[in-house]
Amino acid sequence: GAGVSQTPSNKVTEKGKYVELRCDPISGHTALYWYRQSLGQGPEFLIYFQGTGAADDSGLPNDRFFAVRPEGSVSTLKIQRTERGDSAVYLCASSLTLDREDEQFFGPGTRLTVL
Amino acid sequence: GNSVTQMEGPVTLSEEAFLTINCTYTATGYPSLFWYVQYPGEGLQLLLKATKADDKGSNKGFEATYRKETTSFHLEKGSVQVSDSAVYFCALRDTGRRALTFGSGTRLQVQP
């Protein structure tokens, strides 16, 4: 079956611009996670959703970052006034539920480059 | 807070050599522990996991044992193959949290 998909795969933007990154989770998965992976580092948690609501957004670095999941499926990560330090690979993952036994399945990521 | 520390890479081995990648962790609760693998050009995949002390996770010839007394979860394989070349991430998920905390990754290069 289809895995987690993310679009675009690559995004190049200029400092100060607004970007949106999209995640399509595995069908039927109620939990969705966003992580950010900087070069040479492991992924760092940003936010996760149970259904339509953000259950934990403690990893968002500042108020320029925002994420939505209006219908409990597709999610969009939005970054305002991008900065060069936002350049990273943004990873999305989904799991069947939030149960700690449920595996998180990762998408291929969106590589964001801020010039 | 939670943290995961992995040995720095790259680790370069010849085919059929024994592999150990060290991982230690700090957690406030009773975490579940994971190893994820990222093959070149692919996304992160779960390799194995252990959910409580003394559990051993295993998959594809890889093993790791959850050692609470040493807060470690070292990854081992008895005989590596060229196809095992990838980046390996140790991770934890602490009690009451759903997000994963990852280490910085260890690149493994296996030469024929």
Side-chain angles (χ1 to χ4, degrees):
Chain A
V4 178
S5 62
Q6 294 186 244
T7 54
S9 55
N10 280 283
K11 176 71 177 177
V12 180
T13 191
E14 294 179 343
K15 181 175 177 298
K17 298 290 188 183
Y18 169 83
V19 297
E20 291 189 351
L21 312 179
R22 176 187 168 109
C23 172
D24 281 84
I26 294 172
S27 177
H29 280 196
T30 62
L32 185 146
Y33 309 77
W34 284 99
Y35 294 83
R36 177 169 71 172
Q37 186 175 15
S38 300
L39 192 63
Q41 300 298 314
E44 293 180 319
F45 165 71
L46 296 176
I47 184 172
Y48 72 80
F49 291 84
Q50 170 63 24
T52 60
D56 183 349
D57 64 358
S58 63
L60 294 177
N62 52 61
D63 61 6
R64 295 186 298 106
F65 289 74
F66 190 71
V68 296
R69 195 185 185 202
E71 297 178 358
S73 179
V74 170
S75 176
T76 305
L77 179 66
K78 308 180 182 198
I79 311 174
Q80 299 177 323
R81 305 183 302 281
T82 52
E83 300 177 358
R84 293 193 179 89
D86 299 334
S87 296
V89 176
Y90 289 81
L91 298 173
C92 177
S94 71
S95 62
L96 189 60
T97 71
L98 279 179
D99 189 285
R100 63 182 292 168
E101 300 300 320
D102 285 347
E103 180 181 346
Q104 292 183 26
F105 293 86
F106 283 81
T110 294
R111 182 177 298 278
L112 175 66
T113 303
V114 182
L115 301 177
Chain B
N2 299 332
S3 67
V4 176
T5 303
Q6 292 181 234
M7 59 188 291
E8 287 194 20
V11 174
T12 303
L13 296 173
S14 298
E15 208 164 22
E16 299 183 4
F18 184 85
L19 169 71
T20 300
I21 300 179
N22 290 338
C23 170
T24 58
Y25 68 89
T26 302
T28 54
Y30 302 93
S32 295
L33 301 175
F34 306 82
W35 277 99
Y36 279 80
V37 59
Q38 190 168 35
Y39 297 104
E42 298 185 17
L44 278 168
Q45 302 173 26
L46 179 64
L47 180 60
L48 54 84
K49 69 178 183 182
T51 57
K52 61 183 187 300
D54 300 325
D55 271 1
K56 178 186 284 188
S58 61
N59 186 25
K60 299 182 181 180
F62 291 89
E63 292 183 341
T65 301
Y66 187 163
R67 301 286 188 203
K68 187 169 184 289
E69 64 276 13
T70 54
T71 61
S72 65
F73 193 55
H74 305 320
L75 183 68
E76 297 182 334
K77 186 174 185 181
S79 176
V80 293
Q81 306 299 312
V82 172
S83 58
D84 294 327
S85 298
V87 182
Y88 293 81
F89 293 91
C90 185
L92 69 83
R93 187 165 62 207
D94 205 355
T95 310
R97 295 210 71 208
R98 296 299 175 259
L100 292 163
T101 299
F102 285 88
S104 57
T106 303
R107 181 176 299 277
L108 171 65
Q109 298 173 334
V110 181
Q111 298 175 337

